[in-house]
Amino acid sequence: MSGVVIYLPQGSGEVAGEPCGDAVTLRLGPGEVARFGRGSATTPVELRLDDAAISRLAGEIRVTDDHWQLSNLSTTQSYLVENPEGAGEYLRVPPRRAGAPIPFEFSRVVLPTRRNTTVAFQVFAPDHVYLDADGMGAQWGSRTVTAYSLDETALYFLILVALCEPRLRDESPVAVPTTPQIVERLKGHAACARLTARAVSSHIDYLADEKMRISAPAESGPRREARRNGKREAIVGLVLRFGLVREEHLALLPPRAAAGAQERGAAG
C-alpha cells in the first residue's frame, strides 16, 4: 500500500488574532506516525496547529496497510473526522481514544478552537482493497487487488473527468486543462461551489502520486510548473489508455457554458 497524504492548509494557526502558518504536506507509509498539536521545544510535532485551545500534543495519526488510525491525546476535547465527499457522515473521536480506525478514503480532521472557526487538516487514505470479482470463492493463492482503485463518487474523480474532458470530446489539439480552468469548469457543480485552485492541485497530486503512482523528481520555479503540466498529461494518458475514464463519465460534469449559450441562441 502507498500510505497516506496529510495536507494542512495555509493559515491554520493564529498569532495576535491573525491567521498564520505555512501549508504542510506529509506522506506516511505503513507503520509511520505523525503527531499534531501546538508543539513546543520539548514536544515536537509534525503538524503544528497554533491555537491556544489545542494541546501541545493533541493527537496522533498512525498508518496501517489499508487504513489509518487517529488517537485523541486531549483529556477534554473531542475531535471530528468528516467525510467531505459523502452525505454529511462524520466520526466523533472522544478524549483519550487511542487508535480509532478511520474508514473514509478522504477525510477532514476538525479540532475546536476559541475562535469563530475551527482548525482542520485533510487526510487522503491508502487505496481501498477490493476482492477479485471472478475469484470470490477461491481457496488457494493470494488475492487479486485492483491495479487502479478509483472511487467514482469522490471529488478527485470529478476532477479527473474534467482533466480528460477535451480528449473525450475529441478535442485532441486542446491541451490538458490547467488548474484554474478546472476550477472554472466545475464551479457549476453542487459539490464544487467552494473548490479552490489549491484543493484541485492537491487532488491532482494525490491522483498522480497515490492512485496512478506517477512519480517525478522535485523541481522549483519554471521547471516545477513544467513538471505539473507533465503530471497532468501523464494522468490523462494513463486513465484514457486503460479506460478508467470514459465518455459516459462526462455526465458527472455540469453543463458547459458554451453549450448552454448555443442552446439558448437556437431557442431564440
Side-chain angles (χ1 to χ4, degrees):
M1 294 298 161
S2 54
V4 307
V5 176
I6 304 172
Y7 174 67
L8 176 67
Q10 185 176 13
S12 296
E14 183 183 60
V15 172
E18 295 295 329
C20 69
D22 295 331
V24 176
T25 299
L26 297 178
R27 302 181 189 278
L28 303 179
E32 294 186 319
V33 174
R35 297 177 296 178
F36 59 90
R38 276 166 49 223
S40 69
T42 57
T43 310
V45 293
E46 286 73 30
L47 294 171
R48 187 170 180 178
L49 310 174
D50 290 320
D51 188 276
I54 296 175
S55 304
R56 295 288 183 184
L57 183 56
E60 179 182 277
I61 289 172
R62 181 177 298 273
V63 183
T64 71
D65 282 342
D66 57 3
H67 69 284
W68 61 279
Q69 300 170 346
L70 177 66
S71 293
N72 181 352
L73 304 181
S74 170
T75 59
T76 58
Q77 302 280 11
S78 292
Y79 304 152
L80 298 182
V81 183
E82 301 174 340
N83 178 10
E85 299 175 348
E89 299 97 336
Y90 68 91
L91 299 176
R92 182 183 295 109
V93 182
R96 302 181 303 281
R97 173 68 161 93
I102 308 301
F104 309 133
E105 187 172 9
F106 176 40
S107 306
R108 181 186 294 116
V109 180
V110 183
L111 284 70
T113 71
R114 293 178 64 87
R115 293 178 277 163
N116 292 330
T117 60
T118 55
V119 167
F121 57 88
Q122 301 161 358
V123 182
F124 296 86
D127 286 347
H128 289 185
V129 176
Y130 297 90
L131 296 174
D132 183 0
D134 297 327
M136 294 291 287
Q139 299 295 318
W140 307 102
S142 60
R143 90 185 143 182
T144 303
V145 297
T146 305
Y148 300 112
S149 176
L150 297 174
D151 180 359
E152 296 186 7
T153 67
L155 178 58
Y156 69 73
F157 190 81
L158 190 65
I159 291 171
L160 184 58
V161 175
L163 275 173
C164 296
E165 181 181 26
R167 303 282 174 88
L168 288 172
R169 295 192 187 278
D170 198 25
E171 300 171 356
S172 301
V174 179
V176 173
T178 64
T179 296
Q181 287 172 335
I182 292 174
V183 174
E184 178 68 19
R185 179 67 183 92
L186 296 178
K187 69 178 183 180
H189 193 284
C192 300
R194 301 176 63 183
L195 185 66
T196 64
R198 186 182 295 274
V200 169
S201 295
S202 295
H203 280 287
I204 291 175
D205 287 342
Y206 177 60
L207 283 165
D209 300 339
E210 308 301 328
K211 290 298 187 179
M212 303 290 105
R213 298 180 292 282
I214 299 170
S215 60
E219 302 286 356
S220 60
R223 295 185 65 182
R224 182 179 181 182
E225 185 59 30
R227 181 175 63 85
R228 286 178 173 171
N229 292 337
K231 182 182 292 187
R232 289 194 292 264
E233 292 277 356
I235 292 172
V236 171
L238 182 62
V239 300
L240 293 182
R241 188 160 61 246
F242 283 99
L244 304 176
V245 175
R246 302 175 297 278
E247 287 188 26
E248 58 263 32
H249 291 128
L250 293 174
L252 297 172
L253 300 174
R256 294 204 292 184
Q262 290 175 359
E263 292 172 2
R264 289 192 297 271

